[in-house]
Each structure stands twice: as C-alpha cells, then as structure tokens.
Amino acid sequence: MKVKDYLLEKIAAGTIHMTLVDPDKQTPEHAAEIAADAVSLGTDAIMIGGSTDVTQQNLDETALAIKALVDIPVIYFPSGAHALSAHCDALYFMSMLNSRDVRMVIREQAAAGPIVKKLGIEPISMGYIIVEPGMKVGEVGKADLIKREDPMTAVGYALAAEYLGMEMIYLEAGSGASAPVPPEMISAVKKVITVPLIVGGGIRDAVAAGAAKDAGADAVVTGTLVEADGYLKVLEEVIKVIKS
Ligand code: 1GP
C-alpha cells in the first residue's frame, strides 16, 4: 500500500498522530528507540526532518535505524534537495508557499525531482504554510509569516494549494514554537479545504494536541517533546487525546 493511501485510510477513521525525529538531534540508535516508543504508544507514522544540519549521512543512518525497528511508514520531511534518502518509505514533496525565496517555493523541488524519480521514493505533494512565530524554518525559509490573528491569509494559501493539486496542507508554527497554530486558524482552513490538514509546531502537551484536533486537524505532528528526558508520559497523553 502506498504511504499516501495508508495516511488517507487512517485519517478517514479519525485524527492521526505523527512523530517527528530530527536526525541531527540524537544518534540513529536513539532516534530508533524514540520511534519504537512512539509506535508502542500508537503513533501512526514517523517523520524524519529538520531545518538545519540534515546531511545525507545522518538522514540515511537515522532512516535505516528506524526502519529496522518499526513497521509503520517512515516519511522524509525535507528541507531541500541536498539530502534525499532511499531508505524512507515516502517523502513530502512540499513547497513553502509563503516563502519570499523562489528556491523554497519551486527550485529545490526542481533539483530534487530527478533524484526522487531515480531513487523511486513515493512523493506526497504538500503545501507548506508557515505561521508565526515560524522559528528556524520560517527564518531559513524566508517566510512571510502568517500573523496569528490572520486566518484568512492562511485560508488563501491553503485553497491555492488545493486548487494547484497539492494532496495535503501543512500549517506549521515552527519547531519549538512558544505557541502552536491558533485553533481559529486551523478551523478556518479546515472549513474550506477537502484535502487532509496537518498541523504542527509548538504542540507539547495534551491540551494543545486536543485543541488542534478539536479545531479540525487531520494529523497532529509533535517533534520537540520527544527530545526531552522522560518524554514517554507526555507523548502517551498527547497520542491518547488525539485518538480519543
Ligand atoms: C516541526 O511541526 C513540527 O516541523 C513539530 O514541531 O518540534 O514544536 O513539535 P515541534
């Protein structure tokens, strides 16, 4: 089964949870342990990615270690064409729609396309929209950040993405954001699109995860929370509220 079909099938049954692991933040072995823990708690997919310092080597080693321990899809969440791994099951083929840098909108993708084709990795087309505070990804991506109190601009980008044929929309507040994407923005976007809505950035407890779910997120991504010692309890609570 294609990873996209797996995600669509899961989402049809309710909101899903995805665990993001940054290959630069721990050893491949530790990344695999985190992924295995997340699977045991019910996460639906593992994402591998980071805004800086992802190399072909740490990406490949992390993907291989995770694949050896878990049997749910491992999806690459790329920051550019410089590192692309055949060891992931799929990758988000994404465009940062509100970037001022044409490189983030389409040029990295043009460089990556032939490599993705050659490696035979499944591409899942995605419109990526950066919301305040945006953090590192907003900075390196030169994003015109969407203001937290401006859901209609997010709606515009999301509709443009869907009408351009993108298969998923990702509303991103940035990894480690002090505040996640506002629920009002999630619900405004969800109301107008028919493709799945992924939400992430700054979701570090069950309250925030529940708020994203209740506002209409089809998938909630958490990354930073698995970087802290003793993450299991919080991760368990987050996944529980998303699945309830
Ligand atoms: C980042 O949305 C993800 O791309 C996850 O963010 O690290 O804040 O959970 P956190």
Side-chain angles (χ1 to χ4, degrees):
M1 184 191 255
K2 286 194 155 194
V3 175
K4 182 188 147 198
D5 294 331
Y6 165 90
L7 294 175
L8 291 178
E9 200 174 294
K10 285 267 175 182
I11 287 169
T15 304
I16 67 167
H17 176 264
M18 296 192 277
T19 301
L20 173 65
V21 179
D22 184 338
D24 179 47
K25 295 280 170 65
Q26 66 286 293
T27 62
E29 294 69 32
H30 187 210
E33 282 164 22
I34 291 171
D37 282 342
V39 170
S40 73
L41 296 173
T43 201
D44 297 288
I46 305 296
M47 291 166 46
I48 302 179
S51 303
T52 52
D53 302 320
V54 175
T55 64
Q56 189 65 50
Q57 187 176 350
N58 65 21
L59 169 63
D60 276 334
E61 289 176 359
T62 299
L64 278 169
I66 292 176
K67 286 291 294 172
L69 272 199
V70 310
D71 53 11
I72 60 170
V74 176
I75 307 169
Y76 182 37
F77 183 44
S79 54
H82 62 284
L84 293 162
S85 179
H87 303 297
C88 294
D89 299 304
L91 91 163
Y92 294 128
F93 204 87
M94 49 202 259
S95 171
M96 188 187 289
L97 300 173
N98 56 327
S99 172
R100 296 182 300 281
D101 186 352
V102 72
R103 197 174 66 78
M104 301 306 287
V105 180
I106 194 63
R107 290 207 178 145
E108 288 290 324
Q109 296 78 349
I115 306 168
V116 170
K117 181 87 182 166
K118 190 167 172 210
L119 295 177
I121 323 169
E122 177 190 341
I124 300 173
S125 147
M126 174 185 284
Y128 192 43
I129 302 167
I130 315 296
V131 178
E132 286 179 332
M135 310 305 284
K136 203 74 194 169
V137 71
E139 192 187 308
V140 300
K142 300 192 178 74
D144 275 337
L145 300 176
I146 297 192
K147 295 201 179 331
R148 293 175 53 77
E149 62 281 1
D150 182 16
M152 291 321 289
T153 297
V155 163
Y157 277 110
L159 275 178
E162 179 165 337
Y163 295 158
L164 283 165
M166 293 175 178
E167 298 169 313
M168 297 193 186
I169 311 287
Y170 194 132
L171 280 179
E172 169 75 270
S175 186
S178 50
V181 176
E184 302 72 30
M185 190 178 288
I186 298 172
S187 54
V189 168
K190 178 63 187 169
K191 222 175 272 169
V192 298
I193 60 171
T194 63
V195 294
L197 177 59
I198 301 173
V199 176
I203 296 171
R204 59 184 112 252
D205 58 30
V207 174
K213 176 192 168 168
D214 293 345
D218 294 300
V220 173
V221 178
T222 61
T224 302
L225 76 81
V226 295
E227 287 166 18
D229 289 340
Y231 64 83
L232 276 178
K233 188 171 175 289
V234 188
L235 185 60
E236 182 175 14
E237 290 167 1
V238 162
I239 294 176
K240 201 166 152 200
V241 78
I242 288 168
K243 304 282 176 159
S244 63

